[in-house]
Amino acid sequence: MANLTLVQAINLALIQEMERDDRIIILGEDIGVNGGVFRVTEGLHKRFGEKRVVDTPLAESGILGTAIGLAMAGLRPIPEIQFEGFLAPAYDQICTHAARMRSRTRGALTVPLTVRVPIGGGIHAPELHSDSPEAVYAHQPGIKVVMPSSPYDAKGLLISAIRDPDPVIFFEPKRLYRAFREEVPEDEYTIPLGKARVVAEGDEVTVISWGAPVVQCMTAIEASGKSIELIDLRTIYPIDTQTIVQSVRKTGRAVIVHEAPKNCGLGAEIASRIMEHCFLYLEAPIQRVTGFDMTMPYYKKELEYLPEAERIGKALAEVAAY
Amino acid sequence: MANLTLVQAINLALIQEMERDDRIIILGEDIGVNGGVFRVTEGLHKRFGEKRVVDTPLAESGILGTAIGLAMAGLRPIPEIQFEGFLAPAYDQICTHAARMRSRTRGALTVPLTVRVPIGGGIHAPELHSDSPEAVYAHQPGIKVVMPSSPYDAKGLLISAIRDPDPVIFFEPKRLYRAFREEVPEDEYTIPLGKARVVAEGDEVTVISWGAPVVQCMTAIEASGKSIELIDLRTIYPIDTQTIVQSVRKTGRAVIVHEAPKNCGLGAEIASRIMEHCFLYLEAPIQRVTGFDMTMPYYKKELEYLPEAERIGKALAEVAAY
Amino acid sequence: MPARTVYTASIESVSILDEHGRFDAQLGADLIPNDDLVKLYEQMAISRRFDEIAFKLQRSGRMGTYPENRGQEATSLGAAYVLNKDDWLVTCYRENTGLFWRGLPMEYILLHWMGDERGNKIPDGLCITPLAIPIGTQMLHAAGLAWAAKYREEKRIACTFFGDGATSEGDFHEAMNFAANLDLPIVFFCQNNGWAISVPTNKQCSAPTLAQRGIAYGMDCIQCDGNDIFAVVRVMKEASQRARETNRPTFIEALTYRLGDHTTADDARRYRDEAELQMWMQRDPIIRLGNYLKELKLWDRSKEDALQERAKAEVADAVKRAEEIADTPIEEYFDAMYADIPEELRRQRDTLRTSSLGQEGFAQGVETPTKQGIEETVN
Amino acid sequence: MPARTVYTASIESVSILDEHGRFDAQLGADLIPNDDLVKLYEQMAISRRFDEIAFKLQRSGRMGTYPENRGQEATSLGAAYVLNKDDWLVTCYRENTGLFWRGLPMEYILLHWMGDERGNKIPDGLCITPLAIPIGTQMLHAAGLAWAAKYREEKRIACTFFGDGATSEGDFHEAMNFAANLDLPIVFFCQNNGWAISVPTNKQCSAPTLAQRGIAYGMDCIQCDGNDIFAVVRVMKEASQRARETNRPTFIEALTYRLGDHTTADDARRYRDEAELQMWMQRDPIIRLGNYLKELKLWDRSKEDALQERAKAEVADAVKRAEEIADTPIEEYFDAMYADIPEELRRQRDTLRTSSLGQEGFAQGVETPTKQGIEETVN
Ligand SMILES: Cc1ncc(C[n+]2csc(CCOP(=O)(O)OP(=O)(O)O)c2C)c(N)n1
Ligand SMILES: Cc1ncc(C[n+]2csc(CCOP(=O)(O)OP(=O)(O)O)c2C)c(N)n1
Ligand SMILES: [Mg+2]
Ligand SMILES: [Mg+2]
């Protein structure tokens, strides 16, 4: 056991999986000698050499497209995209090919890659370094989408993602990269994709979140003084409907919290699922505490945009009082 | 008044707007001499010349990116993307730039372009010629998204889109391109963006749809023998919440129908809004009749994937009986 | 402006058997054994027959949109002929001849255009990828496949096909650049057939050649007569050897022409001159090789008749197999999405419904609460 | 392989005032009047001062990430000097000097990096676009701006800046290809500063020059010493004239070097050699021009002192203006999204809430039904 940051936990997972499986190649911008702009791949270049840890040209579609080819050949590429804003140039390769190769060929060719992408705001970064596009990729059939909110989960989920036979987008909340440390076992372990985590139990309201806002939710819940159940989704697709539904059938009230804009965000999908499966249990309209339906502001205003604890707290109070 | 197909109505709108405003340039693949693969731009090259009707290289990001530049300079470009599947390579330019230029520059530079894109299935086309990615673009703040379901609406909405000072994605349901004719005024007229149309009034169930499935809904409603209110969204963003909410407060029941996969589709957003605004009026869980959460099948199976009248009819019966 | 010259480059163009039957004995010496020449000719003829029948299937409503290959048979065939069986062939959609040579059963191509994914379910060990519909995107996969071969030190290479239009896409650039910079064993094979649907090549590229696109990457690049099987084989030999031995990529521009419409959904008379088409008819790769074979006394009328019979039968057989394939239950489509089907997708699969009330009674329990308040399970 | 040569090309490289002070009198003759030379020198020095202060602001927590421009002052400046006031300058983020020359108040750049969109609210008539964060994407906008100028027959051109790394992106290719094929009046100005963060140029492009990327499009292309203001001005004059008079684009590769880290978030010692840095220190464009001016007796110590005082004061002033700017209420962010604010967005704006219960009481009516069953309005 070691007390690790989220960055270190991911680094450890990468090292252990690379030791275990020489089909793994890491590729991306500045991930080699430089160890990645967030130092997530620190030391890998030295340890595994430039054959397995490859600085590519600056071209995201190229990174994903070649990774797809590597995966089709049976390797296990782990491309990194430097920031979620720069996943957009690779959107086509992901949705047109990575997501479709298995179904297109009825399984003759598959794409077992895991693309790692830092995501979200709150670190005073420049434009396009603070967005949250997870819902866009969740809408695309054929891929899985994961977002851990703690070092422990990050390691276990990343190992599952790497070993998954289908393409996985692994979003890493950059606000949590070094926000806190946690005991992370040295030994390998996996956390199954598609299973949420009940962070705290309670019976008045269910709060559902993922990634960095989970921490904001904990603060808000603590401050609320109420008995609130907090669910960390961990996997964005497939969604663990069962855990959510079980909780809301108990509490009758739900608040969903995410950084992305509200309109067509993942919150809408979760709210709809709750409504579909808990209709007769609901005692208040499901609330969405999210980014506003506008461009993520430059950093001066990012905290006024993000769903911070205070705004979450208000919704908790309102939904509980309804 | 002329009896026009949807293709002809759009063609007429383009001609009239180009006559009226010489800032308009049409650009895209095969839109010139060939008149577009669906013949939507038929005759424009001859009428307006190759300066205003431009066959570009085969590069969707290039088409959108140069159109953004044209628009920043004060022109009114109308790029065409040949099929919605090939909008993906332009996703980055749309979401990173078209959608953000106004907010990024606090209005110093704006992007008044209208990108026309055929959308949806049902025409026995090859792979990637039958998808429905509207929710992806609705999730991106800074753009508007439109999808007509009739020749009359198509003309009026397209003219509004072209004149709108912000970027608009104008999705054209290709299944309806020549499905039926309708009286379309010769004179120019506009239909405001952001306003839905109540296609049929009723008080048992509200059905909300847009694009090609609207026609399937009409068939299902007719067959149901029930009093059903049908709302054609017309604009995907901004959503006309008021019209929807007013209807569902009356009926207490809602079914949303779209071609895109269910998960994180626009149906989730609409269901959530209904739930938020009609909570105490709802008498049944809101139903989503949509494409399945899988890749759009090749055409042999497309009708088993799409929300056809029969499947819609089942949901109508179930929700009414609940 | 007088200044220091820091780089020079040039583009060569290779032609061996030209449209007038002239054969460059020096360039063509010992290139293709006579036996193989006959087989190559036969393959082109069978492929041409396939094309005609496919066209008719579409016209008679038995198949969807189909892109004719007519006129371009020599390019993919010459390449496939040179490649080893375990080299990756990463095609677009006008390379039937090369795919058939490699061993893809003809019905696969038909199934693809009949809207059936089983046309892409590549038989084991064939080392090809499915037809690529989104233009320009597959070259990156080829680069990845070549990279994997290099990573595993397998001495396999990849060869990827695409059209003139595809060279305008950003992904083309990225694939070329990755291949050149990472030293990947790959051949980029551009079939310049003069048109991208209605847009002529000079609107895709205003430079005098497409081949020079390779100069941007310091890549070896060359032009050849794509209707001349000898020229194609010659440049492919050099390119594949370079890839195999030195991991250096090559860009080949093969000049060819599609004698048909873009696809069956297109009408080329709207945008191209009859005269141009007529000129290219004279350059037909099959006629050209046929005449040459006759000159060498390797071919005659009776062999031709027998070949046509065989082609007819083989194609008819493929049509039969494609048309008589059993229906796939839609459930299999759900199963094909992931190695393990997610729960909500399973619910959709088992009920063929997306609406929650429609999904009631799924599996063991009842998921959606009913007014009766039965105890439910959500899976 | 013996075959017909169908194309040849070469790349020239231009240098006029080299790092040793040698001046090519032929190439440099009558290029820049002495008065202007002094002004250009002053602009570079002020920009350098700005850079130092910006760096300090970041280090002391008064500003976010900042990309130092140090060492690259001559490139954007030389280009901006040649361009007309109404030509579009479409930059990336290391072109402060050219932007200042054009007239962008220095506080705009500070505001941008202070996380304030008002730094991009370009003053009317300046004909520049905001700093571009997503690499490689802005060249397409430049192509569109050039196209609009041509469409309106305005005789304006566009000049777009980007780094060596940016030439690997697909959008770069598409912009170059559109410009060449549509005959657009544009200059593509690549600042090859040796690195894209930690990745050296030879990993972006294994060809001997980046300039040859232009050959792919049949575009005029040239290399120059980017730390030599004379060379930059000379190639820019030719390129801009070509664009203005013939609508033909040019690709310029200027060889330069960033003397600082990639940004303040970077530590270049992790990946590059101190010796390389030292070598480039000797090629500093400001020192080089300063020495030349002294040689011409156009500059001396006292002028330098006065300039440094002026730079100090001007930069201090800009910092003051940037730091003292009034706070923007968040509501203005909502208003900046569309010409007309959509209803749901207005509801979010007026309540600063997204949750429906939090939006109650908005505007005239109450939107969400309450348990009391009050009559509601939804806007
Ligand atoms: C990304 C993308 N954009 C547009 C299309 C529509 N489309 C299909 S084929 C084609 C032209 C392709 O031309 P070329 O690459 O020269 O190949 P050819 O058909 O001539 O063999 C176009 C524009 C597509 N399939 N994919
Ligand atoms: C599309 C995109 N991918 C990645 C990044 C992250 N990034 C910022 S600057 C940079 C390197 C740019 O190198 P170059 O184009 O040579 O410009 P330079 O910084 O050297 O001036 C990278 C990878 C980005 N901003 N945009
Ligand atoms: Mg072509
Ligand atoms: Mg650089």
Side-chain angles (χ1 to χ4, degrees):
Chain A
M1 285 289 242
N3 210 19
L4 303 183
T5 62
L6 204 146
V7 163
Q8 292 168 327
I10 294 172
N11 184 267
L12 181 61
L14 290 173
I15 289 174
Q16 292 182 339
E17 286 299 288
M18 288 186 77
E19 295 282 8
R20 185 176 169 274
D21 186 351
D22 65 12
R23 294 171 307 172
I24 295 175
I25 297 185
I26 314 246
L27 62 154
E29 298 158 10
D30 305 293
I31 55 126
V33 181
N34 199 38
V37 295
F38 287 105
R39 307 289 177 251
V40 174
T41 56
E42 175 96 54
L44 298 188
H45 184 264
K46 196 158 174 207
R47 185 163 187 150
F48 298 103
E50 64 181 7
K51 201 176 155 193
R52 295 186 66 195
V53 181
V54 183
D55 274 331
T56 64
L58 205 178
E60 290 75 13
S61 189
I63 293 168
L64 257 294
T66 50
I68 289 169
L70 289 164
M72 286 163 68
L75 298 183
R76 291 285 177 279
I78 309 182
E80 172 183 303
I81 296 296
Q82 212 161 72
F83 287 88
E84 77 293 321
F86 314 130
L87 190 56
Y91 173 80
D92 184 40
Q93 281 290 341
I94 294 174
C95 295
T96 300
H97 288 298
R100 293 177 203 248
M101 199 58 78
R102 176 189 288 276
S103 59
R104 173 187 291 148
T105 65
R106 307 280 104 176
L109 290 166
T110 59
V111 182
L113 65 75
T114 300
V115 47
R116 294 183 35 256
V117 193
I119 193 169
I123 63 157
H124 272 208
E127 191 192 3
L128 290 159
H129 291 63
S130 304
D131 281 17
S132 295
E134 71 272 16
V136 165
Y137 297 94
H139 186 47
Q140 175 64 50
I143 44 184
K144 295 183 179 176
V145 183
V146 176
M147 200 188 310
S149 75
S150 75
Y152 178 89
D153 281 7
K155 182 177 171 190
L157 288 167
L158 180 56
I159 294 177
S160 292
I162 292 170
R163 297 183 190 174
D164 196 278
D166 285 302
V168 180
I169 303 184
F170 191 84
F171 284 118
E172 303 170 358
K174 50 183 105 83
R175 195 177 183 180
L176 302 185
Y177 263 153
R178 294 181 168 80
F180 61 94
R181 290 169 180 273
E182 196 175 55
E183 291 297 322
V184 175
E186 278 288 333
D187 288 348
E188 79 171 47
Y189 60 93
T190 58
I191 295 176
L193 304 189
K195 292 278 168 250
R197 176 170 66 108
V198 178
V199 180
E201 292 190 30
D203 52 26
E204 289 183 65
V205 179
T206 302
V207 173
I208 302 128
S209 192
W210 52 92
V214 168
V215 176
Q216 301 297 318
C217 291
M218 296 197 300
T219 311
I221 290 169
E222 189 140 355
S224 77
K226 293 192 169 41
S227 168
I228 291 177
E229 188 138 308
L230 173 59
I231 297 175
D232 176 354
L233 212 52
R234 296 204 292 203
T235 299
I236 306 298
Y237 187 86
I239 298 174
D240 181 356
T241 315
Q242 170 142 31
T243 299
I244 297 168
V245 167
Q246 268 165 358
S247 176
V248 181
R249 286 189 185 174
K250 177 174 68 177
T251 61
R253 296 159 204 272
V255 175
I256 304 155
V257 181
H258 62 66
E259 293 192 10
K262 181 184 182 188
N263 190 62
C264 290
L266 191 68
E269 177 61 34
I270 294 172
S272 298
R273 290 189 183 204
I274 294 173
M275 193 267 309
E276 287 164 1
H277 294 291
C278 309
F279 186 68
L280 297 177
Y281 297 80
L282 278 180
E283 294 178 36
I286 302 155
Q287 299 297 294
R288 294 185 276 165
V289 181
T290 68
F292 297 106
D293 289 335
M294 63 181 187
T295 318
M296 176 79 189
Y298 281 22
Y299 79 74
K300 259 191 192 174
K301 291 287 168 184
E302 67 177 336
L303 295 187
E304 294 182 50
Y305 173 91
L306 293 172
E308 296 292 283
E310 199 199 319
R311 188 144 65 87
I312 299 166
K314 286 187 194 166
L316 289 178
E318 283 156 353
V319 84
Y322 185 83
Chain B
M1 285 288 243
N3 210 20
L4 303 183
T5 62
L6 204 146
V7 164
Q8 292 168 326
I10 295 173
N11 184 266
L12 181 61
L14 290 172
I15 290 174
Q16 291 182 339
E17 285 299 288
M18 288 187 77
E19 294 281 9
R20 186 176 167 275
D21 186 351
D22 65 10
R23 294 171 307 173
I24 295 175
I25 297 184
I26 314 248
L27 61 154
E29 296 158 10
D30 305 293
I31 56 126
V33 181
N34 200 37
V37 294
F38 287 105
R39 308 288 177 251
V40 174
T41 55
E42 176 96 54
L44 298 188
H45 185 264
K46 196 157 174 208
R47 185 164 186 149
F48 297 104
E50 65 180 7
K51 201 177 154 192
R52 296 187 64 193
V53 181
V54 183
D55 274 331
T56 64
L58 205 177
E60 290 75 14
S61 189
I63 292 169
L64 256 294
T66 51
I68 289 169
L70 288 164
M72 286 163 70
L75 298 183
R76 292 285 178 278
I78 308 182
E80 172 182 301
I81 296 296
Q82 212 161 73
F83 288 87
E84 77 293 320
F86 313 131
L87 191 56
Y91 173 80
D92 185 39
Q93 281 290 341
I94 292 174
C95 295
T96 300
H97 288 298
R100 292 176 204 247
M101 199 56 79
R102 177 188 287 276
S103 58
R104 173 187 289 149
T105 66
R106 308 281 103 178
L109 290 165
T110 59
V111 182
L113 65 76
T114 300
V115 47
R116 294 183 34 255
V117 193
I119 193 169
I123 62 158
H124 273 206
E127 190 193 3
L128 290 160
H129 291 63
S130 304
D131 281 17
S132 295
E134 70 271 16
V136 165
Y137 296 94
H139 186 48
Q140 174 64 50
I143 45 184
K144 295 182 179 177
V145 183
V146 176
M147 199 187 311
S149 75
S150 75
Y152 179 88
D153 280 7
K155 181 176 172 192
L157 288 167
L158 180 56
I159 294 178
S160 292
I162 293 171
R163 297 184 190 174
D164 196 278
D166 285 303
V168 180
I169 303 184
F170 191 84
F171 284 119
E172 303 170 359
K174 51 183 106 81
R175 194 177 184 181
L176 302 185
Y177 263 153
R178 293 181 169 81
F180 61 94
R181 290 170 180 273
E182 195 176 58
E183 291 297 321
V184 176
E186 279 287 334
D187 289 349
E188 78 170 48
Y189 59 93
T190 58
I191 294 175
L193 305 188
K195 292 277 168 248
R197 176 169 67 108
V198 178
V199 180
E201 293 191 32
D203 52 26
E204 289 182 67
V205 181
T206 301
V207 174
I208 301 129
S209 192
W210 53 92
V214 169
V215 175
Q216 301 298 319
C217 290
M218 295 195 303
T219 311
I221 290 169
E222 189 141 354
S224 77
K226 293 195 169 40
S227 168
I228 290 176
E229 187 138 308
L230 174 59
I231 296 175
D232 176 353
L233 211 54
R234 295 205 292 204
T235 298
I236 306 297
Y237 188 85
I239 298 174
D240 182 357
T241 315
Q242 170 143 30
T243 299
I244 296 168
V245 167
Q246 267 165 359
S247 175
V248 180
R249 286 190 185 175
K250 178 174 67 177
T251 62
R253 295 160 204 272
V255 175
I256 304 157
V257 181
H258 62 66
E259 293 192 10
K262 181 184 183 188
N263 190 61
C264 290
L266 190 68
E269 178 60 35
I270 294 172
S272 298
R273 289 189 185 205
I274 294 172
M275 192 268 308
E276 285 164 1
H277 294 290
C278 309
F279 186 68
L280 297 178
Y281 298 81
L282 277 180
E283 294 178 37
I286 303 156
Q287 299 298 293
R288 294 185 277 166
V289 180
T290 68
F292 296 106
D293 289 336
M294 63 180 188
T295 318
M296 175 80 190
Y298 280 21
Y299 79 75
K300 258 191 193 175
K301 291 287 169 186
E302 65 177 336
L303 295 187
E304 294 182 51
Y305 174 90
L306 293 172
E308 297 290 284
E310 199 199 319
R311 188 144 63 89
I312 300 167
K314 286 188 194 164
L316 288 178
E318 284 157 352
V319 84
Y322 185 83
Chain C
M1 186 183 298
R4 199 161 46 97
T5 299
V6 289
Y7 184 77
T8 57
S10 65
I11 299 294
E12 313 284 296
S13 192
V14 175
S15 152
I16 295 176
L17 176 65
D18 76 9
E19 66 217 82
H20 309 293
R22 281 184 299 243
F23 187 81
D24 185 321
Q26 198 193 335
L27 288 180
D30 300 327
L31 203 53
I32 311 177
N34 283 349
D35 279 7
D36 286 356
L37 261 189
V38 169
K39 282 190 208 137
L40 290 168
Y41 176 78
E42 289 171 346
Q43 182 66 75
M44 287 203 275
I46 292 168
S47 181
R48 179 70 59 95
R49 170 74 189 176
F50 176 90
D51 220 47
E52 283 160 13
I53 295 300
F55 181 84
K56 284 188 185 147
L57 287 174
Q58 191 282 333
R59 281 293 188 264
S60 57
R62 289 156 69 189
M63 193 166 76
T65 308
Y66 174 74
E68 283 179 272
N69 284 220
R70 193 151 46 98
Q72 303 188 198
E73 288 87 352
T75 42
S76 63
L77 178 61
Y81 169 72
V82 171
L83 293 170
N84 294 342
K85 275 274 175 196
D86 65 350
D87 292 334
W88 284 99
L89 206 54
V90 181
T91 62
C92 193
Y93 48 71
R94 244 185 261 284
E95 295 83 18
N96 291 347
T97 325
L99 292 171
F100 296 158
W101 181 267
R102 171 59 66 89
L104 186 72
M106 286 191 283
E107 64 269 26
Y108 276 72
I109 301 290
L110 293 174
L111 282 169
H112 177 103
W113 299 111
M114 283 174 174
D116 192 321
E117 285 84 349
R118 286 171 292 182
N120 302 327
K121 194 178 174 177
I122 319 294
D124 257 12
L126 267 195
C127 302
I128 62 181
T129 55
L131 304 195
I133 298 301
I135 297 296
T137 54
Q138 75 277 15
M139 298 90 119
L140 279 168
H141 310 162
L145 290 163
W147 184 353
K150 178 183 170 190
Y151 180 79
R152 291 176 166 140
E153 298 170 14
E154 292 178 331
K155 290 282 162 207
R156 289 162 80 176
I157 71 169
C159 175
T160 182
F161 283 83
F162 49 90
D164 40 289
T167 69
S168 294
E169 289 280 7
D171 273 6
F172 160 77
H173 171 68
E174 299 189 14
M176 295 278 284
N177 200 40
F178 270 63
N181 299 353
L182 298 172
D183 287 319
L184 302 182
I186 181 169
V187 179
F188 290 91
F189 197 115
C190 177
Q191 304 198 72
N192 180 357
N193 65 2
W195 295 89
I197 309 188
S198 71
V199 181
T201 304
N202 66 11
K203 287 196 175 184
Q204 302 291 346
C205 179
S206 53
T209 70
L210 276 177
Q212 73 201 74
R213 294 242 200 254
I215 296 176
Y217 317 96
M219 197 186 286
D220 287 284
C221 38
I222 191 154
Q223 197 181 59
C224 76
D225 180 344
N227 286 4
D228 168 4
I229 188 90
F230 291 96
V232 173
V233 166
R234 175 143 194 155
V235 299
M236 263 305 291
K237 279 201 167 162
E238 181 162 302
S240 58
Q241 191 182 346
R242 177 179 299 123
R244 215 178 300 282
E245 290 171 12
T246 69
N247 285 323
R248 287 302 297 167
T250 303
F251 180 72
I252 295 172
E253 176 194 11
L255 298 170
T256 182
Y257 199 78
R258 66 166 156 79
L259 296 175
D261 295 329
H262 169 67
T263 65
T264 49
D266 178 49
D267 177 2
R269 288 167 305 182
R270 291 175 67 94
Y271 53 78
R272 75 179 180 190
D273 272 358
E274 179 63 22
E276 183 182 287
L277 178 61
Q278 287 311 323
M279 182 181 76
W280 280 94
M281 290 280 200
Q282 311 306 315
R283 302 185 184 162
D284 188 316
I286 302 187
I287 298 175
R288 196 184 302 185
L289 182 56
N291 288 341
Y292 184 71
L293 289 182
K294 283 180 208 142
E295 218 171 87
L296 294 188
K297 307 273 180 267
L298 295 168
W299 202 249
D300 58 26
R301 166 69 66 91
S302 77
K303 284 186 177 152
E304 182 68 33
D305 289 344
L307 171 62
Q308 289 304 334
E309 279 312 303
R310 188 182 131 209
K312 223 161 137 177
E314 286 184 12
V315 173
D317 230 49
V319 172
K320 202 160 134 55
R321 278 195 298 273
E323 292 198 322
E324 292 180 357
I325 193 169
D327 183 43
T328 323
I330 186 77
E331 285 78 2
E332 284 185 20
Y333 280 72
F334 292 85
D335 297 337
M337 286 304 301
Y338 294 91
D340 293 312
I341 191 166
E343 281 306 320
E344 156 69 8
L345 189 58
R346 183 147 66 90
R347 199 148 47 222
Q348 293 178 13
R349 173 196 192 282
D350 291 355
T351 60
L352 296 183
R353 304 289 297 280
T354 55
S355 50
S356 62
L357 295 172
Q359 293 177 341
E360 264 183 38
F362 162 69
Q364 266 70 51
V366 178
E367 297 81 40
T368 310
T370 62
K371 280 181 181 158
Q372 290 72 42
I374 301 162
E375 204 37 55
E376 310 86 356
T377 324
V378 175
N379 290 291
Chain D
M1 184 182 299
R4 198 161 47 97
T5 299
V6 288
Y7 183 78
T8 58
S10 65
I11 299 293
E12 314 284 296
S13 192
V14 175
S15 151
I16 296 176
L17 176 65
D18 77 9
E19 66 219 80
H20 309 294
R22 280 184 301 245
F23 187 82
D24 184 322
Q26 199 192 334
L27 288 179
D30 299 329
L31 201 54
I32 310 177
N34 284 348
D35 279 7
D36 286 356
L37 263 189
V38 170
K39 281 189 208 139
L40 290 167
Y41 176 76
E42 289 171 346
Q43 182 67 74
M44 288 202 275
I46 291 168
S47 181
R48 180 68 61 94
R49 171 73 189 177
F50 175 91
D51 221 46
E52 283 159 13
I53 295 300
F55 182 83
K56 285 189 184 148
L57 287 175
Q58 192 281 332
R59 281 293 188 263
S60 57
R62 288 156 70 189
M63 193 166 77
T65 307
Y66 173 76
E68 283 179 90
N69 284 219
R70 194 152 45 99
Q72 302 188 203
E73 289 87 351
T75 41
S76 62
L77 179 62
Y81 169 72
V82 170
L83 293 170
N84 294 341
K85 275 274 175 196
D86 65 349
D87 292 334
W88 283 99
L89 206 54
V90 180
T91 62
C92 193
Y93 49 72
R94 244 184 262 283
E95 295 84 17
N96 291 347
T97 324
L99 291 171
F100 296 158
W101 181 267
R102 172 58 67 86
L104 185 73
M106 287 191 283
E107 64 268 25
Y108 277 73
I109 301 291
L110 294 174
L111 282 169
H112 177 102
W113 299 110
M114 284 176 174
D116 191 321
E117 284 85 349
R118 285 171 293 181
N120 301 327
K121 193 178 174 177
I122 319 293
D124 257 13
L126 266 195
C127 302
I128 62 181
T129 55
L131 303 194
I133 298 301
I135 297 295
T137 55
Q138 75 277 14
M139 299 91 119
L140 279 168
H141 310 161
L145 290 163
W147 184 352
K150 178 183 170 190
Y151 180 78
R152 291 176 167 141
E153 298 171 14
E154 290 178 332
K155 291 283 164 208
R156 289 162 80 177
I157 72 169
C159 175
T160 182
F161 284 83
F162 49 90
D164 40 289
T167 69
S168 294
E169 289 280 7
D171 274 6
F172 161 76
H173 172 68
E174 299 190 14
M176 295 278 284
N177 200 40
F178 269 64
N181 299 353
L182 299 172
D183 287 318
L184 302 181
I186 182 170
V187 179
F188 290 91
F189 197 114
C190 176
Q191 304 196 71
N192 179 356
N193 64 2
W195 296 88
I197 309 188
S198 70
V199 181
T201 304
N202 66 11
K203 286 197 173 182
Q204 303 291 345
C205 179
S206 52
T209 70
L210 277 177
Q212 73 200 74
R213 293 245 201 254
I215 296 176
Y217 317 95
M219 197 186 287
D220 287 284
C221 38
I222 192 153
Q223 197 182 60
C224 75
D225 180 344
N227 287 4
D228 168 3
I229 188 90
F230 291 96
V232 173
V233 166
R234 180 151 186 148
V235 298
M236 263 305 291
K237 278 200 169 165
E238 181 163 300
S240 59
Q241 190 182 345
R242 178 179 299 123
R244 215 179 300 281
E245 289 172 12
T246 68
N247 284 323
R248 287 300 297 166
T250 303
F251 180 72
I252 295 171
E253 176 193 12
L255 299 169
T256 181
Y257 199 78
R258 65 166 157 79
L259 297 175
D261 295 329
H262 169 68
T263 64
T264 49
D266 178 49
D267 176 3
R269 287 167 306 182
R270 292 176 68 94
Y271 52 79
R272 76 179 179 190
D273 273 357
E274 178 64 20
E276 182 182 288
L277 178 62
Q278 287 311 322
M279 182 182 75
W280 279 94
M281 290 280 199
Q282 310 307 315
R283 301 185 185 162
D284 187 314
I286 303 188
I287 299 175
R288 194 183 303 183
L289 182 55
N291 288 340
Y292 184 71
L293 290 182
K294 282 180 207 143
E295 216 172 89
L296 295 187
K297 306 276 180 264
L298 294 168
W299 202 248
D300 59 24
R301 167 69 67 90
S302 78
K303 281 183 179 155
E304 183 68 33
D305 290 345
L307 172 61
Q308 290 303 335
E309 279 311 304
R310 189 181 129 208
K312 221 163 140 177
E314 286 184 12
V315 173
D317 230 49
V319 172
K320 201 160 135 56
R321 278 195 298 273
E323 293 198 321
E324 291 180 357
I325 194 169
D327 183 45
T328 324
I330 187 76
E331 286 77 3
E332 284 185 20
Y333 280 72
F334 292 85
D335 298 337
M337 285 303 300
Y338 293 91
D340 294 313
I341 191 167
E343 281 307 320
E344 157 69 6
L345 189 57
R346 184 147 65 90
R347 201 149 44 224
Q348 293 178 12
R349 174 197 192 279
D350 291 355
T351 60
L352 296 183
R353 304 290 295 282
T354 56
S355 50
S356 62
L357 295 172
Q359 293 177 342
E360 265 182 36
F362 162 67
Q364 266 72 51
V366 178
E367 297 80 42
T368 311
T370 62
K371 281 181 178 155
Q372 289 72 42
I374 300 161
E375 205 38 55
E376 312 85 354
T377 323
V378 175
N379 289 291

